[in-house]
């Protein structure tokens, strides 16, 4: 199995890598192999990430009762470590030339295998000097930036005293956002005055991944002759995005103070409408598979719940008390507080490993899947309500309804949420069509600019 994770060197991305290794080793055949490709922004970070993940594999192989129980008396931890291969590529999602270089390396080049470990325990790993990928089974788009400067304290108190602690810690509006954040995705810091720019948070969270995915289609698509399921493009969103966060007048999230939430709402809209007939022409143009009998990759949507990472800028004192508040909110009944990166990785990893037949049977592309926990912190995957879409893109009347599924859906609903209507579904679909159209226009514009630069450099 071949899986790529963007931003895999820290936070939720590193948690995804750790959890993917653990769940793969404990659920797949004892002779199967996992090739995991965390992306970072530098060779140094790639080296450190590979070594850290190798150390995790070693500890898990030697301490996991589940692995010993599966293999029996003849269990050898070294055999387990040799089933996982960690590679890494470097990519800057705010740099189109970097995105192209990383994609070329993955699609038609070779990836350095980091065959030697800095701690000298190479006996536990199969050395890989360089690797040419035959395919990708899943790409998990996790990397991103927040665009915040810190807390807006007046809004902190307003959130807590008007909406309650659970709501304030799940759907906060007190994060101080910066407006006017722009980046030149071709020239970067060397850009001259007057060169075209794009919203920085938009580029890091959505547009960079959008361009990257298109160039990975040759590895994600499947020919008619193969029994393998199509590759999966797994977009990582957030529990926060709502209808008012996204404005078509500010698609690149330049003017808004909620740039992060805007990009996550855009992610929701693009992913959930990707299978609708009304967006088909744009999606087909984007995925661009050939020949005609080739199966394109499938697009899925997940989110990690509320996880404590360094993405939001807090000093050590506030970081500690933020952790206390998140645990308190979980104990008060919130299902959306995994808190740790490893637990927040539940939904992304589940989506990467789930059987294709089951995903198809529930039309999983139409659902936003979230990492959820109970009072004790036990993880599970939970359907998430999306403003204007509901849980599955259909009208559902919860009022007066009973049953375990209805109870699960009511748990964790945003305060003030209303059942989706046919009119709202129409508006959501129209929004999806326009977002896909605009994204394709932006892609073609910036691809043309990048082409011109590469021609000039050649």
């Amino acid at each position: 199995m071949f899986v790529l994770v963007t931003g895999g060197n820290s936070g939720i991305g590193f948690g995804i890598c750790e959890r993917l290794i653990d769940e793969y080793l404990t659920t797949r055949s004892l002779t199967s192999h996992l090739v995991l490709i965390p992306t970072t922004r530098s060779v140094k970070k790639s080296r450190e990430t590979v070594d850290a993940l190798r150390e995790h594999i070693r500890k898990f192989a030697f301490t996991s009762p589940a692995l010993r129980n599966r293999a029996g008396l003849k269990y050898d931890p070294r055999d387990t470590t040799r089933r996982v291969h960690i590679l890494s590529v470097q990519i800057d999602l705010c740099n189109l030339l970097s995105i192209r270089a990383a994609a070329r390396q993955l699609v038609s080049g070779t990836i350095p295998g980091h065959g030697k470990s800095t701690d000298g325990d190479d006996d536990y790993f199969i050395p890989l000097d360089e690797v040419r990928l035959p395919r990708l089974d899943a790409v998990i788009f996790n990397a991103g930036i927040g665009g915040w400067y810190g807390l807006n304290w007046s809004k902190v108190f307003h959130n807590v005293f008007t909406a309650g602690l659970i709501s304030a810690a799940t759907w906060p509006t007190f994060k101080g956002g910066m407006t006017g954040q722009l980046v030149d995705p071709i020239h970067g810091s060397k850009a001259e005055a007057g060169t075209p720019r794009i919203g920085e948070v938009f580029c890091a969270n959505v547009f960079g991944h959008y361009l990257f995915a298109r160039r990975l289609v040759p590895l994600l698509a499947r020919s008619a002759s193969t029994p393998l399921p199509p590759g999966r493009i797994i977009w990582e969103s957030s529990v926060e995005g709502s209808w008012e966060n996204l404005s078509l007048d500010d698609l690149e999230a330049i003017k808004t103070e909620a740039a992060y939430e805007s990009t996550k709402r855009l992610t929701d809209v693009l992913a959930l409408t990707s299978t609708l007939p009304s967006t088909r022409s744009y999606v087909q143009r984007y995925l661009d598979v050939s020949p005609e009998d080739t199966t394109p990759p499938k697009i899925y949507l997940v989110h990690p719940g509320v996880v404590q990472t360094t993405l939001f800028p807090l000093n050590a004192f506030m970081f500690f008390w933020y952790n206390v508040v998140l645990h308190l909110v979980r104990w008060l009944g919130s299902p959306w507080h995994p808190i740790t990166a490893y637990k927040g990785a539940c939904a992304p990893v589940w989506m990467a490993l789930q059987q294709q037949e089951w995903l198809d049977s529930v039309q999983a592309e139409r659902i936003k899947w979230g990492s959820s926990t109970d009072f004790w912190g036990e993880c599970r995957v939970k359907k998430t309500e999306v403003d204007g879409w509901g849980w599955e893109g259909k009208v559902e009347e919860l009022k007066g309804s009973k049953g375990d599924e209805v109870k699960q859906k009511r748990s964790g609903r945003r305060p003030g949420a209303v059942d989706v209507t046919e009119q709202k579904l129409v508006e959501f679909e129209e929004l999806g069509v326009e977002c896909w159209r605009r994204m394709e226009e932006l892609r073609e514009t910036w691809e043309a600019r990048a082409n011109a630069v590469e021609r000039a450099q050649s």
Side-chain angles (χ1 to χ4, degrees), residues 214 217-218 220-222 283-297:
R214 188 174 194 272
V217 167
L220 291 161
R222 299 290 181 262
V283 177
Q284 288 179 341
R285 187 168 75 189
Y286 169 61
L287 296 177
D288 188 32
V289 296
S290 60
E292 291 183 359
D293 61 349
T294 301
T295 303

Side-chain angles (χ1 to χ4, degrees), residues 178-255:
M178 296 178 286
T179 62
Q181 298 180 85
L182 296 167
V183 65
D184 181 337
I186 295 179
H187 302 94
S189 59
K190 298 180 181 179
E192 298 179 0
T195 58
R197 286 170 167 78
I198 197 169
E200 185 177 22
V201 179
F202 166 77
C203 194
N205 294 0
V206 184
F207 194 57
H209 284 114
Y210 186 84
L211 297 178
F212 191 38
R214 188 174 194 272
R215 290 183 170 267
L216 295 181
V217 167
L219 293 173
L220 291 161
R222 299 290 181 262
S223 67
S225 60
T226 180
L228 294 171
R232 300 171 189 176
I233 299 173
I234 303 172
W235 284 92
E236 187 179 304
S237 181
S238 165
V239 73
E240 293 182 48
S242 61
W243 193 279
E244 64 271 13
N245 288 136
L246 177 62
S247 169
L248 290 175
D249 294 329
D250 188 24
L251 191 71
E252 297 179 24
I254 298 169
K255 303 172 185 177

Side-chain angles (χ1 to χ4, degrees), residues 327-391:
H327 279 88
L328 177 60
V329 167
R330 180 203 286 170
W331 297 331
L332 289 174
S334 170
W336 295 131
H337 286 75
I339 303 174
T340 67
Y342 187 86
K343 291 180 178 180
C346 178
V349 170
W350 174 86
M351 181 57 71
L353 295 177
Q354 188 60 253
Q355 293 297 315
Q356 189 63 52
E357 292 79 8
W358 187 88
L359 293 176
D360 292 342
S361 70
V362 299
Q363 295 184 296
E365 300 115 305
R366 295 172 61 87
I367 299 170
K368 183 176 181 178
W369 304 90
S371 299
S372 174
T373 54
D374 61 13
F375 177 91
W376 304 105
E378 291 296 319
C379 298
R380 59 186 183 271
V381 176
K382 177 178 167 62
K383 294 177 182 178
T384 309
E385 186 178 21
V386 177
D387 197 0
W389 181 259
W391 286 272

Side-chain angles (χ1 to χ4, degrees), residues 42-341:
S42 71
V43 174
K44 180 178 181 291
K45 287 182 178 180
S46 286
R47 177 74 272 172
E48 292 170 349
T49 302
V50 170
D51 285 345
L53 289 174
R54 282 182 164 181
E55 179 60 25
H56 174 80
I57 297 167
R58 260 191 298 268
K59 287 182 179 178
F60 189 70
F62 277 90
T63 61
S64 171
L67 287 175
R68 291 185 177 275
N69 292 338
R70 290 191 74 204
L73 296 176
K74 295 183 178 180
Y75 177 69
D76 185 345
R78 290 173 295 184
D79 292 337
T80 297
T81 63
R82 292 177 182 135
R83 291 174 53 203
V84 182
H85 314 277
I86 312 295
L87 314 175
S88 187
V89 296
Q90 295 76 52
I91 184 172
D92 180 352
L93 290 162
C94 285
N95 186 311
L96 271 60
L97 302 185
S98 171
I99 292 169
R100 289 183 168 202
R104 277 194 294 266
Q105 187 178 17
L106 290 162
V107 174
S108 56
T110 55
I111 308 169
H114 303 285
K116 294 294 182 181
S117 175
T118 57
D119 56 20
D121 288 334
D122 295 308
D123 289 342
Y124 294 107
F125 300 94
I126 299 175
L128 295 173
D129 294 326
E130 57 182 25
V131 179
R132 185 181 293 274
L133 291 181
R135 69 178 190 275
L136 280 171
D137 296 296
V139 294
I140 302 176
F141 288 157
N142 157 82
I145 59 177
W148 303 298
Y149 62 79
L151 294 171
N152 182 324
W153 281 102
S154 63
K155 288 187 177 181
V156 170
F157 295 110
H158 181 269
N159 274 199
V160 172
F161 291 113
T162 61
L165 185 61
I166 292 178
S167 179
T170 311
W171 302 279
T173 62
F174 52 70
K175 291 181 286 187
M178 296 178 286
T179 62
Q181 298 180 85
L182 296 167
V183 65
D184 181 337
I186 295 179
H187 302 94
S189 59
K190 298 180 181 179
E192 298 179 0
T195 58
R197 286 170 167 78
I198 197 169
E200 185 177 22
V201 179
F202 166 77
C203 194
N205 294 0
V206 184
F207 194 57
H209 284 114
Y210 186 84
L211 297 178
F212 191 38
R214 188 174 194 272
R215 290 183 170 267
L216 295 181
V217 167
L219 293 173
L220 291 161
R222 299 290 181 262
S223 67
S225 60
T226 180
L228 294 171
R232 300 171 189 176
I233 299 173
I234 303 172
W235 284 92
E236 187 179 304
S237 181
S238 165
V239 73
E240 293 182 48
S242 61
W243 193 279
E244 64 271 13
N245 288 136
L246 177 62
S247 169
L248 290 175
D249 294 329
D250 188 24
L251 191 71
E252 297 179 24
I254 298 169
K255 303 172 185 177
T256 178
E257 294 182 356
Y260 176 84
E261 292 81 2
S262 174
T263 61
K264 294 306 178 180
R265 174 63 174 179
L266 177 59
T267 300
D268 291 353
V269 172
L270 291 171
L272 294 174
T273 60
S274 64
T275 60
L276 299 181
S278 55
T279 63
R280 184 174 298 145
S281 62
Y282 300 113
V283 177
Q284 288 179 341
R285 187 168 75 189
Y286 169 61
L287 296 177
D288 188 32
V289 296
S290 60
E292 291 183 359
D293 61 349
T294 301
T295 303
K298 290 180 176 285
I299 298 173
Y300 296 100
L301 182 65
V302 299
H303 74 85
V306 180
V307 172
Q308 185 178 26
T309 70
T310 56
L311 183 66
F312 188 77
L314 291 174
N315 59 40
F317 176 79
M318 290 303 302
F319 198 80
F320 169 80
W321 285 107
Y322 182 48
N323 183 269
V324 171
V325 169
L326 294 185
H327 279 88
L328 177 60
V329 167
R330 180 203 286 170
W331 297 331
L332 289 174
S334 170
W336 295 131
H337 286 75
I339 303 174
T340 67

